[in-house]
């Protein structure tokens, strides 16, 4: 069988990540994908009145996509690029937990998650040069151990929770709180790799073109 030649970097279409999140960037890189540009959006991420978690996460992911696409299409270099956008929401029932920015918010989240199951919703949107968006919603169930007051206090002191949906980062210290996970681990971190790769391939992006060079 003839080996497929790697696609020269200059010949590959541009890839844009609509995020400044180091976690999403690291996940893309894990899949062998190095974005050519990061185009994050500054959005009001507060849920609308009575908005369900899955509706919120879809709305925010699509809004991030729209902002990045508008910026990319306005430049010669990125005009024909592929854009990836995602958002993650943590919910207990229909209650949407915040992306904790202050200690009290994080403490409230951890006490609510302690000893119970919750759901993490991540929506990912992809658009290619044809400007026809593709979207997937990934739902993952996570159960935490019962957290002691000392564990919560220690985790708050770490500062790892800051800016994280639900007040925790599963890829860090809080991974030790997880009793059970059903679904996509990478989606909980911030970007579902299986779905993202599938969407990009569906749009014609040469996902595996760089794998041979990555070894």
């Amino acid at each position: 069988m003839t080996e497929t030649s790697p696609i020269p970097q200059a010949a590959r279409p541009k890839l844009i990540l609509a995020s400044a999140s180091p976690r999403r960037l690291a996940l893309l890189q894990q899949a062998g994908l190095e974005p050519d540009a990061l185009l994050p959006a500054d959005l009001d991420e507060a849920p609308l009145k009575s908005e369900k978690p899955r509706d919120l996460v879809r709305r925010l992911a699509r809004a991030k996509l729209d902002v990045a696409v508008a910026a990319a299409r306005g430049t010669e270099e990125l005009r024909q690029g592929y854009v990836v956008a995602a958002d993650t929401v943590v919910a207990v029932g229909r209650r949407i937990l915040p992306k904790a920015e202050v200690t009290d918010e994080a403490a409230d989240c951890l006490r609510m998650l302690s000893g119970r199951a919750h759901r993490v919703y991540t929506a990912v949107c992809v658009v290619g040069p044809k400007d026809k968006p593709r979207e997937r919603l990934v739902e993952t169930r996570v159960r935490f151990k019962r957290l002691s007051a000392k564990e919560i206090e220690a985790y708050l002191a770490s500062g790892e929770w800051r800016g994280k949906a639900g007040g925790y980062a599963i890829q860090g210290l809080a991974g030790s709180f997880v009793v059970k996970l059903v679904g996509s681990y990478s989606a909980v971190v911030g970007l579902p790799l299986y779905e993202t790769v599938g969407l990009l391939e569906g749009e014609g992006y040469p996902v595996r073109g760089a794998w041979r060079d990555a070894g």
Side-chain angles (χ1 to χ4, degrees):
M1 182 180 293
T2 303
E3 291 189 11
T4 302
S5 299
I7 301 173
Q9 186 64 37
R12 287 195 196 104
K14 300 296 184 181
L15 180 64
I16 300 113
L17 178 61
S19 175
S21 166
R23 299 170 301 283
R24 292 194 174 107
L25 174 58
L27 285 166
L28 265 188
Q29 292 169 333
Q30 180 182 328
L33 300 171
E34 188 68 47
D36 298 282
L38 304 178
L39 297 178
D42 184 14
L43 301 174
D44 179 359
E45 299 190 5
L48 303 176
K49 185 177 180 180
S50 301
E51 190 170 26
K52 296 178 182 178
R54 60 177 57 241
D55 295 332
L56 171 64
V57 77
R58 280 176 169 153
R59 177 171 64 83
L60 292 178
R62 183 60 186 271
K64 291 178 181 181
L65 183 78
D66 290 345
V67 170
V69 168
R73 299 300 183 251
T75 68
E76 183 64 33
E77 182 183 6
L78 302 176
R79 184 167 296 161
Q80 296 297 311
Y82 290 73
V83 182
V84 177
D87 192 74
T88 301
V89 165
V90 175
V92 176
R94 292 187 59 171
R95 179 170 179 177
I96 298 167
L97 302 191
K99 292 182 179 177
E101 296 295 345
V102 297
T103 304
D104 286 348
E105 276 186 328
D108 287 345
C109 288
L110 291 171
R111 284 192 287 265
M112 182 171 294
L113 297 174
S114 175
R116 68 191 301 177
H118 61 278
R119 296 176 189 267
V120 180
Y121 300 90
T122 296
V124 57
C125 299
V126 167
V127 71
K130 296 179 182 179
D131 284 336
K132 293 183 179 180
R134 293 170 176 255
E135 175 189 311
R136 290 290 301 275
L137 175 66
V138 180
E139 178 182 328
T140 304
R141 289 175 288 168
V142 182
R143 178 178 288 278
F144 270 17
K145 62 176 281 188
R146 188 169 298 280
L147 303 175
S148 68
K150 288 185 177 180
E151 285 173 317
I152 292 176
E153 182 181 355
Y155 189 69
L156 293 174
S158 76
E160 184 182 81
W161 49 268
R162 198 174 302 278
K164 307 297 193 302
Y168 75 93
I170 196 170
Q171 72 276 17
L173 301 171
S176 64
F177 299 159
V178 178
V179 175
K180 186 176 183 180
L181 184 150
V182 180
S184 169
Y185 173 82
S186 62
V188 179
V189 178
L191 189 70
L193 289 183
Y194 170 77
E195 289 78 9
T196 301
V197 166
L199 290 172
L200 282 168
E201 287 184 323
E203 278 298 296
Y205 187 85
V207 171
R208 295 178 178 81
W211 285 14
R212 183 178 171 186
D213 295 334

